[in-house]
Amino acid sequence: MSDPFVIGGRSLSSRLFIGTGKYSRNTLIPEVVEASGSEVITVALRRVDPNSNDNIISHIPDSMTLLPNTSGARTAEEAVRIARLAKASGLGNWVKIEVINDQKYLLPDNAETIRATEILAAEGFVVLPYMSPDLSAALRMQKAGAAAVMPLGSPIGTNRGLKTLELLRILIAEVELPVIVDAGIGRPSEAAEAMELGAAAVLLNTAIATARDPLLMASAFRDAVAAGRKAYLAGLGPVEETASASSPLTGFLG
């Protein structure tokens, strides 16, 4: 079955996006990339130091699509400035908008994110906004020119799973853009559940980076995302309140 996945005019074969944070050593990154099968990787611009002997970009394979994020931005203006710096630094025109004021739960500011999306999409960026899963905000990001929306499953870095499941379901049903579930996924089964629900992709970092064996966990997420997508395409059976026998209960006892 043909199952194209296109973001910003780029065809992707993997629906698993990964991050670059929290690894015990940057040299693990290319190994995680290979184990995960991912083609898109996000990196915070503030971690990019071209003058360092251990510049994180040097550990990312050339085949990957870079998704710089605006981590650290507290306003739309700061996010726009970071995005422009990333592009000027040669990191391409894809950008994950992160605008966060809350320092306890790290929840995104949807209003500021919408403003940043409007500005950067008008400048030709491929904008992927990280957001709290609110339908009105997602529709405004869609209207502003976002290439996808990236609602959180639960607060970033928590590994708590899909606490926003019902809101994700609404976004997937009502938003015409790809919905990429970002943040909070801690288990491969949760990634599979998001894909079964109809998410276009998932993005995660902490679950792989903090695993006892990051490479094995990366391959587990690769398989889970692929399995969840297959289940979505196959069409899940209906959920019933009462039992329904798989084979006839009468006719052989006389």
Side-chain angles (χ1 to χ4, degrees), residues 67-104:
L67 179 60
N69 67 58
T70 63
S71 173
R74 294 161 297 178
T75 66
E77 286 73 20
E78 291 179 356
V80 167
R81 181 165 55 86
I82 293 171
R84 289 170 177 165
L85 283 171
K87 186 176 182 180
S89 301
L91 301 183
N93 69 336
W94 283 41
V95 63
K96 174 186 168 184
I97 299 296
E98 287 186 33
V99 182
I100 295 174
N101 285 298
D102 155 51
Q103 296 304 307
K104 183 175 182 180

Side-chain angles (χ1 to χ4, degrees), residues 1-6 11-13 15 229-230 232-234:
M1 176 185 290
S2 175
D3 184 28
F5 179 36
V6 179
S11 294
L12 301 168
S13 57
R15 294 172 179 270
R229 183 63 182 179
K230 286 181 182 178
Y232 171 74
L233 294 174

Side-chain angles (χ1 to χ4, degrees), residues 221-242:
F221 272 106
R222 178 196 60 203
D223 294 344
V225 169
R229 183 63 182 179
K230 286 181 182 178
Y232 171 74
L233 294 174
L236 299 173
V239 176
E240 306 288 353
E241 292 295 325
T242 57

Side-chain angles (χ1 to χ4, degrees), residues 6-10 17 65-68 83 87 92-97 117 120-129 145-148 150 180:
V6 179
I7 297 282
R10 190 168 303 179
F17 295 6
T65 295
L66 280 176
L67 179 60
K87 186 176 182 180
N93 69 336
W94 283 41
V95 63
K96 174 186 168 184
I97 299 296
T117 299
L120 293 171
E123 294 181 8
F125 281 85
V126 176
V127 181
L128 289 81
M150 305 182 76
I180 302 170

